[in-house]
């Protein structure tokens, strides 16, 4: 399976995410860029999740229906054509990092999936629901990990 190159001008893989993007900062989604979306992609799905959250994997951002022809999203924006879903805080769109004070650094996995057909998800999907819907069907994916600690 081919890979999508996913990156950000705000952080590099396994480096700290600035407070601006955190829930207790400006709570603005970070800018992202990508390339290598394969032919036959009907939509892209963007997921940001924290597997280190005390209550289990926490969904910070889920956007479906992203146009496969675009290669970026600016800070604070929704990717072109995308539909933002409810995050773990109960809000639609981005919900920035907010790990418990004193916890070790949490990892925030930004994942972009190329799918051959539109994805069908339950209302308010969990991280497991999302993975079940996309992992077996993806044509390609890309991941970048940001770190955050309070």
């Amino acid at each position: 399976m081919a890979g999508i190159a996913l990156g950000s001008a705000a952080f590099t893989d396994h480096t700290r995410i600035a407070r601006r993007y955190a829930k207790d900062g400006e709570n603005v989604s970070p800018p992202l860029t990508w390339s290598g979306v394969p032919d036959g992609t009907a939509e892209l799905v963007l997921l940001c999740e924290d597997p280190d959250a005390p209550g289990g994997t926490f969904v910070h951002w889920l956007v479906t229906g992203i146009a496969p022809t675009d290669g970026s999203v600016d800070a604070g924006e929704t990717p072109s054509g995308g539909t933002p879903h409810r995050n773990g805080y109960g809000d639609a769109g981005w919900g920035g990092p907010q790990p418990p004070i004193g916890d070790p650094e949490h990892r925030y996995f930004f994942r972009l999936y190329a799918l051959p057909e539109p994805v069908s998800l339950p209302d308010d999907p969990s991280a497991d629901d999302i993975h079940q819907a996309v992992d077996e069907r993806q044509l390609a994916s890309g991941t970048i990990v940001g770190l955050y600690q309070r």
Side-chain angles (χ1 to χ4, degrees):
M1 176 180 7
I4 295 173
L6 181 60
S8 179
F11 62 97
T12 56
D13 196 32
H14 285 88
T15 64
R16 187 170 167 83
I17 298 171
R19 186 170 185 269
R20 172 177 191 229
Y21 306 105
K23 181 89 166 150
D24 60 349
E26 294 175 43
N27 199 33
V28 172
S29 60
L32 297 171
T33 59
W34 56 87
S35 62
V37 174
D39 291 340
T41 299
E43 80 169 343
L44 299 173
V45 172
L46 176 62
L47 169 66
C48 177
E49 59 187 326
D50 172 7
D52 303 317
T57 302
F58 190 92
V59 175
H60 286 271
W61 202 14
L62 173 61
V63 183
T64 59
I66 301 168
T69 54
D70 283 0
S72 67
V73 61
D74 291 333
E77 299 293 324
T78 298
S80 179
T83 301
H85 295 260
R86 214 177 315 228
N87 57 44
Y89 300 114
D91 303 319
W94 172 254
Q98 191 176 28
I101 294 172
D103 263 19
E105 277 186 329
H106 282 217
R107 299 167 297 153
Y108 297 85
F109 286 78
F110 291 79
R111 302 179 194 277
L112 188 68
Y113 298 95
L115 301 177
E117 57 191 31
V119 68
S120 177
L121 294 169
D123 291 340
D124 300 326
S126 68
D128 286 341
D129 293 334
I130 299 161
H131 284 286
Q132 286 176 358
V134 301
D135 285 348
E136 296 294 319
R137 295 179 184 97
Q138 65 177 297
L139 300 172
S141 64
T143 302
I144 186 172
V145 179
L147 307 174
Y148 193 76
Q149 182 179 25
R150 296 189 316 148

